[in-house]
Amino acid sequence: MEESGIPSAIGDDECEKRKKRGPVGKLFFKVGERMGIVEQTRLAPEFVTEIEKYYKYQEDVDKLVDRLEIVLQNDETVLRSGNIECSEKTDPYEIFAQNINAFRSFHPENAQVSLTEAEAVVKRLAIMNREMQSKGRRSIHKMRQFVTHEKLAMTEAQKKLMQARDTMDAARHDLKHARTTEMVEEKGKYYERMVREFDQQAARVAAFPEHLPADKEEHQKELFDYFETLGNFHQNANLLLEEHLPLMKIPPTVTVTNPRQQ
């Protein structure tokens, strides 16, 4: 088998090819660090910074989603079960209505109409509350997807990138130590294929932070929808109470005045 001097020129050829690969080729650079006997390719600091920004935003959105959901549903036990609505007949308004119904038997006949009216109003509030919770969660659907499915997809893509990097580095190591023309040709083709696979996977990872501005815009729209849903609920609840409270003949709130202020 004939010895070849080609491996000594691999470094120069690799640098030239890296320049020709375009933006993706800038995602990594080689340093003198070695993992065992294999020289390891390191991701460029700029690329790592963009990834860190992406994860930081994802972490912030995750916290925000938790806080938005606790506004919709105050019972954390319900949220931990993966639901936003209470189970049947356990919504606080529904329990309140049940208590009013049970309380009616202890009141005289002339109070029954008001209590019946109060029970009906509270039942209506229970329906409105469930609708608000369901619609409120749907309004932040993309944000919830961003911190679940998107997070898993990004983590998996980055894991595959590191695997592709290690395979590419091993292929480069083998190519550098090829000693015959036949081996150089064989190892060279394999190395080029591993470089392409690395570039493709790097582009997939880069697509996540590149799409972040569009994600942020979508999340802002969802926040507007979310708060509009909350606003509509409170406005409609207020109108409902304004309409029916006078019919219930609820006594006005008694204001206690400090004698010293008289």
Side-chain angles (χ1 to χ4, degrees), residues 1-127:
M1 300 293 286
E2 183 181 356
E3 293 283 338
S4 172
I6 294 179
S8 63
I10 290 175
D12 295 337
D13 291 343
E14 183 181 342
C15 291
E16 186 63 28
K17 289 178 181 178
R18 189 174 300 174
K19 291 178 182 178
K20 294 179 180 179
R21 290 208 302 268
V24 176
K26 299 178 182 178
L27 295 178
F28 64 93
F29 66 98
K30 188 175 65 177
V31 296
E33 181 179 350
R34 291 178 179 274
M35 299 296 291
I37 61 174
V38 178
E39 195 170 28
Q40 187 180 61
T41 297
R42 300 293 298 274
L43 299 178
E46 298 83 359
F47 183 60
V48 174
T49 298
E50 291 303 310
I51 296 299
E52 290 175 347
K53 288 180 180 178
Y54 179 86
Y55 278 127
K56 179 61 171 63
Y57 177 72
Q58 205 165 54
E59 180 182 342
D60 292 340
V61 173
D62 196 4
K63 293 177 181 177
L64 177 60
V65 167
D66 287 342
R67 286 160 175 76
L68 294 175
E69 289 190 336
I70 200 67
V71 171
L72 299 174
Q73 173 55 261
N74 304 141
D75 190 341
E76 294 187 12
T77 304
V78 176
L79 293 175
R80 283 196 293 269
S81 68
N83 298 316
I84 194 67
E85 298 179 42
C86 295
S87 56
E88 187 178 1
K89 297 182 180 180
T90 60
D91 182 274
Y93 287 113
E94 292 168 344
I95 295 174
F96 188 17
Q98 294 167 17
N99 290 337
I100 293 175
N101 182 275
F103 199 53
R104 281 166 51 191
S105 61
F106 298 98
H107 283 72
E109 187 66 28
N110 61 357
Q112 294 301 311
V113 175
S114 294
L115 290 173
T116 301
E117 184 75 17
E119 182 183 353
V121 169
V122 174
K123 284 182 177 179
R124 179 57 189 161
L125 286 173
I127 295 173

Side-chain angles (χ1 to χ4, degrees), residues 50 53-54 57 146 207-217:
E50 291 303 310
K53 288 180 180 178
Y54 179 86
Y57 177 72
F146 183 75
F208 286 91
E210 286 174 357
H211 195 260
L212 194 56
D215 290 329
K216 290 182 177 181
E217 186 175 348

